Amino acid sequence: MPDSWPTAPAHFLTGTEPGAEGILALVDRAIELKAAPLSVRPLEGASIALIFEKPSTRTRVSFEVAVTELGGHAVVLRGDEMQLSRGESPRDTGLVLSRHVEAIAIRTHSDEVVSAIASASSVPVINMLTDGHHPCQALGDLVTLKETFGHLDGLKLAFVGDGNNVARSLALVAGLVGVQVTVASPSGYQLEPLPGLVITDDPAEAAMGADAIYADAWVSMGDEATAAQRLSALAPYCLDDALLDLGAPGAVALHCLPAHPGQEITPEVLYGSRQRIWDQAENRRHAQKALLEAIVRAV
Ligand code: CP
């Protein structure tokens, strides 16, 4: 890691906070921890709040087990059981929780809520998914790319589908460490311009020569009211074998899950030999262990 985290406390809100050097160090540390999962207990005596205002399978389990494997205690909080759901402010929530725990991780809708908690908190705050960002997913995906290809700089990653929070975090976090990210989405579903990001409406153009082709759900949490329009607009963006064939030799399929086989990805790709999707799901835990080790009590 760099000598000091650029923010104090060491928040992880968009995933760009550690800088390129810090992200690369976290990826390498995650790979070390994957090889020796019970080798260190830096969270001995520490409690970590995990707040879920939206459903989760991977993030919930990977964070809770990560904290346990690092020797700490996870305090898992459902949003609807907290005073947050009855109008207590994010600011007051951050002030109170940081008197009890060594880090606060939260999954919620609004990035502003996470920022308000972070502004009030004296301990690190981790974004476990907002409408705008999913930085822990991007960090875990870099671990998968590094263990698949042996390097990150110069890799080409094509994201096909809705220009959503996962696409944005990949553009920001993977882009920072030299991965060339292209996002292919139809009009109305495209990401805003970001440094280094290539945007197209043509999935074949994005996939051509890519080392990894990435899909995500077409109807994310909160998008249910527009499901029919989304399924129609995004239908040409399915990750199938034909799209994967356009990639570079050895190209792999990625998906952050949960998947909808037959929509954004075919079952043949999801369960086939060219995917690294189930490794992605596992690598969330190793990446988050590296992150927690680095930021809890870091400053
Ligand atoms: N990829 C991901 O964040 O999965 P969950 O929604 O199950 O946590």
Side-chain angles (χ1 to χ4, degrees):
M1 293 300 300
D3 287 344
S4 62
W5 198 269
T7 56
H11 300 314
F12 192 72
L13 307 183
T14 67
T16 59
E17 291 85 356
E21 186 189 341
I23 293 167
L24 291 171
L26 290 174
V27 169
D28 288 343
R29 181 60 178 149
I31 290 170
E32 285 176 7
L33 289 169
K34 183 171 183 176
L38 302 178
S39 56
V40 291
R41 292 175 67 83
L43 299 190
E44 195 80 57
S47 295
I48 311 296
L50 307 177
I51 303 172
F52 289 93
E53 295 202 297
K54 300 171 86 170
S56 171
T57 297
R58 278 143 292 274
T59 306
R60 158 93 195 249
V61 173
S62 60
F63 258 106
E64 190 166 346
V65 176
V67 171
T68 300
E69 289 188 350
L70 292 175
H73 170 66
V75 183
V76 180
L77 298 156
R78 280 177 41 153
D80 62 356
E81 294 174 346
M82 297 179 68
Q83 299 289 7
L84 258 178
S85 68
R86 299 181 59 251
E88 184 167 29
S89 69
R91 177 181 182 177
D92 290 2
T93 303
L95 286 170
V96 171
L97 288 182
S98 56
R99 297 292 181 108
H100 293 288
V101 300
E102 275 67 34
I104 302 165
I106 179 164
R107 165 170 290 202
T108 187
H109 298 273
S110 153
D111 286 89
E112 286 68 35
V113 167
V114 180
S115 296
I117 291 176
S119 296
S121 173
S122 60
V123 298
V125 173
I126 298 170
N127 180 345
M128 296 197 293
L129 181 144
T130 53
D131 292 345
H133 298 274
H134 200 354
C136 294
Q137 182 67 54
L139 185 64
D141 294 340
L142 288 178
V143 174
T144 304
L145 288 171
K146 179 82 185 271
E147 68 181 9
T148 300
F149 296 104
H151 67 101
L152 293 172
D153 192 35
L155 289 179
K156 293 182 176 174
L157 184 148
F159 183 101
V160 291
D162 183 19
N164 63 9
N165 49 2
V166 173
R168 181 175 295 102
S169 287
L170 289 167
L172 290 171
V173 181
L176 199 57
V177 296
V179 177
Q180 171 61 63
V181 179
T182 300
V183 176
S185 316
S187 174
Y189 297 88
Q190 294 190 338
L191 269 186
E192 70 280 10
L194 293 166
L197 171 64
V198 177
I199 297 173
T200 177
D201 62 4
D202 183 353
E205 179 189 326
M208 197 74 68
D211 299 292
I213 306 177
Y214 200 121
D216 188 9
W218 290 342
V219 182
S220 295
M221 288 178 279
D223 294 332
E224 292 78 6
T226 56
Q229 297 103 289
R230 289 177 157 275
L231 296 184
S232 169
L234 291 158
Y237 294 78
C238 176
L239 175 46
D240 58 14
D241 276 309
L243 196 68
L244 204 44
D245 286 343
L246 297 177
V252 297
L254 300 178
H255 193 307
C256 55
L257 303 173
H260 307 79
Q263 289 186 16
E264 77 278 1
I265 190 167
T266 61
E268 291 76 17
V269 172
L270 179 62
Y271 303 109
S273 61
R274 294 194 285 178
Q275 57 74 28
R276 294 293 179 276
I277 293 166
W278 310 103
D279 290 336
Q280 278 182 274
E282 175 183 342
N283 287 336
R284 292 289 306 277
R285 181 170 90 259
H286 309 302
Q288 290 153 195
K289 285 174 71 176
L291 176 65
L292 288 164
E293 180 189 58
I295 69 175
V296 174
R297 301 169 176 149
V299 287

